[in-house]
Amino acid sequence: MKIYRSDHYPMPLPAGHRFPVVKYAMLYEQVALFAKGLCVDTPVATTDELLAAHAPDYVQRQLAGLLTPAEERVIGLPWSPELVLRSRASTGATLAACRAALAEGCGVSLAGGTHHAHADHGSGFCVFNDSAVALRVLQREGLIGRALVIDLDVHQGNGTAHMLRDDPALFTFSMHGRNNFPFSKEASDWDIELDDGCDDASYLALLAGTLPQLFALAAPDLVIYLAGADSYAGDRLGKLNLSRAGLAERDRQVFAACRRFGVPVAVTMGGGYAEPITDTVAIQAETVRLALARFA
């Protein structure tokens, strides 16, 4: 099993910016305590790989720094060459984690889950859509026939849903807050919307009843699992009421289903905005620990 890091690619942000970029280095430090020998530097996604899923005009303008101020505001991150390189690295990490999963059963990216990016624009802290790029590249190379995206970030994976909507071989599932961003949702192949305050018992019962049906419908060769930490009760952008123990049980359910149905899984971290941010780091480190326990 391989764990891909991209935190060593800096992403400079203005002082006080609400995106918690510090969590990625903190997460690597935590994961290195129990899995340092499995951690490797990520390959950076090439332009050709980005073009497997994104519109050429968007890729070219993003790489050259030619976005309009309005486009930058929609993304929520100021453009810089470092931001582009970091976004390419995060996308490359997901593709590499997918390749590792196909070879070894599981691969992990300590970033990724940039599910709000669309083919022709970024959005919601997401520059490139790592899941869509990875799946399109793997399709192009003939390494997968069918795939399933299990998106358990608290925010709907609207970009992924839109980018993959016309491909019946790529099944998108999103279980997210009904009243949370994005406020105009896309149609995934299967969406479950949760009311504010949803707790462990309700969430886990819904997920347990859904997973077998998902695998039956999607018949995947590969799963990409977005293990967002932002359903946590202490997350400032989450609106749900899951505990750390509940989130760990969520991960166990997903990993157990992948093993039960014999499908390799690539894990990405998705969102997490807890205060203190150490709570997010602890939740995401536990996701990696549970993946190791199940697949290593």
Side-chain angles (χ1 to χ4, degrees):
M1 180 172 153
K2 293 184 178 64
I3 301 169
Y4 293 91
R5 61 175 297 205
S6 50
D7 59 281
H8 52 300
Y9 289 97
M11 186 167 71
L13 294 176
H17 195 283
R18 62 178 182 154
F19 185 76
V21 68
V22 296
K23 77 173 184 177
Y24 297 102
M26 295 169 66
L27 177 59
Y28 169 70
E29 291 169 2
Q30 287 295 308
V31 170
L33 294 176
F34 59 84
K36 186 173 184 179
L38 302 177
C39 294
V40 294
D41 291 352
T42 179
V44 174
T46 66
T47 301
D48 181 62
E49 288 167 344
L50 297 175
L51 291 171
H54 285 285
D57 175 71
Y58 173 63
V59 172
Q60 291 161 7
R61 290 190 304 111
Q62 183 64 258
L63 298 184
L66 298 177
L67 299 187
T68 66
E71 288 175 310
E72 284 192 42
R73 286 194 295 273
V74 171
I75 294 173
L77 300 169
W79 187 91
S80 66
E82 294 87 354
L83 172 66
V84 173
L85 181 58
R86 174 60 177 271
S87 301
R88 292 174 68 163
S90 179
T91 303
T94 297
L95 177 56
C98 288
R99 295 188 190 281
L102 291 169
E104 303 168 7
C106 183
V108 176
S109 166
L110 297 181
T114 48
H115 57 172
H116 299 311
H118 286 61
D120 60 355
H121 68 274
S123 176
F125 302 144
C126 302
V127 175
F128 302 120
N129 191 304
D130 60 315
S131 294
V133 169
L135 294 178
R136 291 300 190 198
V137 170
L138 295 173
Q139 278 186 320
R140 186 172 69 185
E141 295 178 355
L143 295 177
I144 58 169
R146 300 178 61 83
L148 167 62
V149 178
I150 298 177
D151 189 338
L152 299 186
D153 191 281
V154 79
H155 305 105
Q156 194 216 25
N158 60 325
T160 310
H162 190 268
M163 291 174 75
L164 304 182
R165 63 181 178 175
D166 295 325
D167 190 338
L170 302 177
F171 195 101
T172 55
F173 170 70
S174 182
M175 185 163 159
H176 53 265
R178 183 190 312 276
N179 299 315
N180 214 321
F181 181 89
F183 301 108
S184 178
K185 308 288 195 289
E186 297 286 345
S188 306
D189 291 299
W190 190 346
D191 288 297
I192 293 179
E193 295 197 316
L194 305 169
D195 291 327
D196 294 355
C198 179
D199 60 11
D200 289 349
S202 300
Y203 187 103
L204 294 171
L206 267 173
L207 183 61
T210 301
L211 284 168
Q213 300 176 67
L214 271 181
F215 280 83
L217 287 169
D221 304 315
L222 173 70
V223 166
I224 295 180
Y225 171 38
L226 278 69
D230 42 12
S231 296
Y232 173 53
D235 195 279
R236 58 190 169 90
L237 301 182
K239 300 186 180 182
L240 301 188
N241 199 33
L242 272 66
S243 67
R244 284 171 57 175
L247 286 164
E249 181 57 29
R250 172 202 69 173
D251 294 340
R252 290 189 190 96
Q253 285 191 15
V254 173
F255 295 147
C258 291
R259 285 299 296 265
R260 174 185 171 189
F261 294 102
V263 182
V265 56
V267 186
T268 63
M269 294 297 103
Y273 311 92
E275 293 182 341
I277 197 61
T278 50
D279 285 354
T280 292
V281 172
I283 291 164
Q284 297 189 322
E286 184 64 11
T287 296
V288 180
R289 191 190 304 272
L290 291 168
L292 271 172
R294 177 64 70 166
F295 294 100

Short mmCIF file of all heavy atoms in Angstrom, two decimals, residues 9-31:
data_model
loop_
_atom_site.label_atom_id
_atom_site.label_comp_id
_atom_site.label_asym_id
_atom_site.label_seq_id
_atom_site.Cartn_x
_atom_site.Cartn_y
_atom_site.Cartn_z
N TYR A 9 4.56 20.72 -1.52
CA TYR A 9 4.36 21.75 -2.54
C TYR A 9 3.60 22.90 -1.87
O TYR A 9 2.44 22.76 -1.51
CB TYR A 9 3.55 21.22 -3.71
CG TYR A 9 4.30 20.23 -4.56
CD1 TYR A 9 4.14 18.86 -4.37
CD2 TYR A 9 5.18 20.66 -5.55
CE1 TYR A 9 4.84 17.94 -5.15
CE2 TYR A 9 5.89 19.75 -6.33
CZ TYR A 9 5.71 18.39 -6.12
OH TYR A 9 6.40 17.50 -6.88
N PRO A 10 4.23 24.03 -1.65
CA PRO A 10 3.59 25.11 -0.88
C PRO A 10 2.40 25.72 -1.62
O PRO A 10 2.36 25.75 -2.85
CB PRO A 10 4.71 26.13 -0.69
CG PRO A 10 5.62 25.91 -1.87
CD PRO A 10 5.58 24.42 -2.12
N MET A 11 1.45 26.21 -0.84
CA MET A 11 0.30 26.91 -1.40
C MET A 11 0.13 28.20 -0.61
O MET A 11 -0.60 28.24 0.39
CB MET A 11 -0.96 26.05 -1.33
CG MET A 11 -2.17 26.66 -2.03
SD MET A 11 -3.53 25.48 -2.26
CE MET A 11 -4.12 25.26 -0.60
N PRO A 12 0.81 29.27 -1.00
CA PRO A 12 0.78 30.51 -0.21
C PRO A 12 -0.60 31.15 -0.24
O PRO A 12 -1.21 31.29 -1.30
CB PRO A 12 1.82 31.39 -0.90
CG PRO A 12 1.91 30.86 -2.31
CD PRO A 12 1.67 29.38 -2.20
N LEU A 13 -1.08 31.52 0.93
CA LEU A 13 -2.38 32.18 1.06
C LEU A 13 -2.22 33.43 1.92
O LEU A 13 -1.34 33.49 2.79
CB LEU A 13 -3.40 31.24 1.70
CG LEU A 13 -3.79 30.00 0.89
CD1 LEU A 13 -4.73 29.11 1.72
CD2 LEU A 13 -4.43 30.38 -0.43
N PRO A 14 -3.08 34.42 1.71
CA PRO A 14 -3.01 35.62 2.54
C PRO A 14 -3.26 35.30 4.02
O PRO A 14 -3.98 34.33 4.34
CB PRO A 14 -4.13 36.51 1.97
CG PRO A 14 -4.45 35.94 0.63
CD PRO A 14 -4.14 34.49 0.70
N ALA A 15 -2.70 36.08 4.89
CA ALA A 15 -2.93 35.90 6.32
C ALA A 15 -4.43 35.96 6.61
O ALA A 15 -5.14 36.81 6.09
CB ALA A 15 -2.19 36.98 7.10
N GLY A 16 -4.89 35.02 7.43
CA GLY A 16 -6.29 35.00 7.80
C GLY A 16 -7.21 34.31 6.82
O GLY A 16 -8.43 34.26 7.04
N HIS A 17 -6.67 33.76 5.73
CA HIS A 17 -7.51 33.06 4.76
C HIS A 17 -8.18 31.86 5.43
O HIS A 17 -7.56 31.17 6.23
CB HIS A 17 -6.67 32.61 3.56
CG HIS A 17 -7.49 32.21 2.37
ND1 HIS A 17 -8.16 31.00 2.29
CD2 HIS A 17 -7.76 32.86 1.21
CE1 HIS A 17 -8.80 30.92 1.13
NE2 HIS A 17 -8.57 32.05 0.46
N ARG A 18 -9.44 31.61 5.10
CA ARG A 18 -10.20 30.59 5.83
C ARG A 18 -9.88 29.16 5.40
O ARG A 18 -10.31 28.22 6.07
CB ARG A 18 -11.70 30.84 5.70
CG ARG A 18 -12.25 30.76 4.28
CD ARG A 18 -13.75 30.97 4.28
NE ARG A 18 -14.31 30.85 2.95
CZ ARG A 18 -15.57 30.50 2.71
NH1 ARG A 18 -16.39 30.24 3.71
NH2 ARG A 18 -16.02 30.42 1.47
N PHE A 19 -9.14 28.97 4.30
CA PHE A 19 -8.80 27.61 3.91
C PHE A 19 -7.64 27.12 4.78
O PHE A 19 -6.57 27.74 4.81
CB PHE A 19 -8.41 27.54 2.43
CG PHE A 19 -8.17 26.13 1.97
CD1 PHE A 19 -9.23 25.28 1.73
CD2 PHE A 19 -6.88 25.64 1.82
CE1 PHE A 19 -9.01 23.96 1.33
CE2 PHE A 19 -6.65 24.34 1.40
CZ PHE A 19 -7.72 23.49 1.17
N PRO A 20 -7.80 25.99 5.46
CA PRO A 20 -6.79 25.54 6.44
C PRO A 20 -5.66 24.75 5.79
O PRO A 20 -5.49 23.54 6.02
CB PRO A 20 -7.62 24.66 7.38
CG PRO A 20 -8.68 24.06 6.50
CD PRO A 20 -9.01 25.14 5.48
N VAL A 21 -4.84 25.42 5.02
CA VAL A 21 -3.79 24.73 4.27
C VAL A 21 -2.79 24.04 5.20
O VAL A 21 -2.15 23.05 4.81
CB VAL A 21 -3.09 25.72 3.32
CG1 VAL A 21 -2.30 26.76 4.08
CG2 VAL A 21 -2.20 24.97 2.33
N VAL A 22 -2.67 24.51 6.43
CA VAL A 22 -1.70 23.92 7.36
C VAL A 22 -2.03 22.46 7.70
O VAL A 22 -1.16 21.71 8.13
CB VAL A 22 -1.62 24.73 8.67
CG1 VAL A 22 -1.09 26.12 8.41
CG2 VAL A 22 -2.98 24.79 9.36
N LYS A 23 -3.28 22.04 7.46
CA LYS A 23 -3.66 20.70 7.88
C LYS A 23 -2.90 19.62 7.12
O LYS A 23 -2.71 18.51 7.64
CB LYS A 23 -5.17 20.48 7.73
CG LYS A 23 -5.66 20.23 6.32
CD LYS A 23 -7.14 19.86 6.29
CE LYS A 23 -7.59 19.52 4.88
NZ LYS A 23 -8.99 19.08 4.82
N TYR A 24 -2.46 19.91 5.90
CA TYR A 24 -1.84 18.87 5.08
C TYR A 24 -0.48 18.47 5.63
O TYR A 24 -0.15 17.27 5.71
CB TYR A 24 -1.75 19.33 3.63
CG TYR A 24 -3.12 19.55 3.02
CD1 TYR A 24 -3.64 20.83 2.88
CD2 TYR A 24 -3.91 18.46 2.64
CE1 TYR A 24 -4.90 21.03 2.34
CE2 TYR A 24 -5.17 18.66 2.10
CZ TYR A 24 -5.66 19.94 1.96
OH TYR A 24 -6.92 20.14 1.44
N ALA A 25 0.34 19.43 6.00
CA ALA A 25 1.63 19.10 6.62
C ALA A 25 1.42 18.43 7.96
O ALA A 25 2.13 17.48 8.32
CB ALA A 25 2.47 20.37 6.77
N MET A 26 0.43 18.90 8.73
CA MET A 26 0.14 18.29 10.02
C MET A 26 -0.33 16.84 9.84
O MET A 26 0.04 15.96 10.62
CB MET A 26 -0.93 19.11 10.75
CG MET A 26 -0.48 20.51 11.12
SD MET A 26 -1.86 21.56 11.68
CE MET A 26 -2.32 20.72 13.20
N LEU A 27 -1.12 16.60 8.80
CA LEU A 27 -1.60 15.25 8.55
C LEU A 27 -0.44 14.33 8.19
O LEU A 27 -0.35 13.20 8.69
CB LEU A 27 -2.65 15.26 7.44
CG LEU A 27 -3.19 13.90 7.01
CD1 LEU A 27 -3.85 13.18 8.18
CD2 LEU A 27 -4.18 14.06 5.86
N TYR A 28 0.45 14.80 7.32
CA TYR A 28 1.61 13.98 6.97
C TYR A 28 2.42 13.64 8.22
O TYR A 28 2.85 12.49 8.41
CB TYR A 28 2.48 14.67 5.94
CG TYR A 28 3.81 13.96 5.78
CD1 TYR A 28 3.87 12.71 5.17
CD2 TYR A 28 4.98 14.52 6.29
CE1 TYR A 28 5.09 12.03 5.06
CE2 TYR A 28 6.18 13.86 6.17
CZ TYR A 28 6.23 12.61 5.57
OH TYR A 28 7.42 11.94 5.47
N GLU A 29 2.62 14.62 9.09
CA GLU A 29 3.40 14.37 10.31
C GLU A 29 2.73 13.31 11.18
O GLU A 29 3.41 12.44 11.76
CB GLU A 29 3.56 15.67 11.10
CG GLU A 29 4.47 16.69 10.42
CD GLU A 29 4.41 18.05 11.07
OE1 GLU A 29 3.69 18.20 12.09
OE2 GLU A 29 5.09 18.98 10.57
N GLN A 30 1.41 13.33 11.26
CA GLN A 30 0.70 12.33 12.05
C GLN A 30 0.79 10.94 11.40
O GLN A 30 1.05 9.94 12.07
CB GLN A 30 -0.77 12.73 12.21
CG GLN A 30 -1.00 13.87 13.17
CD GLN A 30 -0.63 13.50 14.59
OE1 GLN A 30 -1.08 12.50 15.13
NE2 GLN A 30 0.23 14.32 15.20
N VAL A 31 0.58 10.89 10.10
CA VAL A 31 0.61 9.61 9.40
C VAL A 31 2.02 9.02 9.42
O VAL A 31 2.19 7.80 9.56
CB VAL A 31 0.09 9.77 7.96
CG1 VAL A 31 0.34 8.51 7.13
CG2 VAL A 31 -1.40 10.10 7.97
#
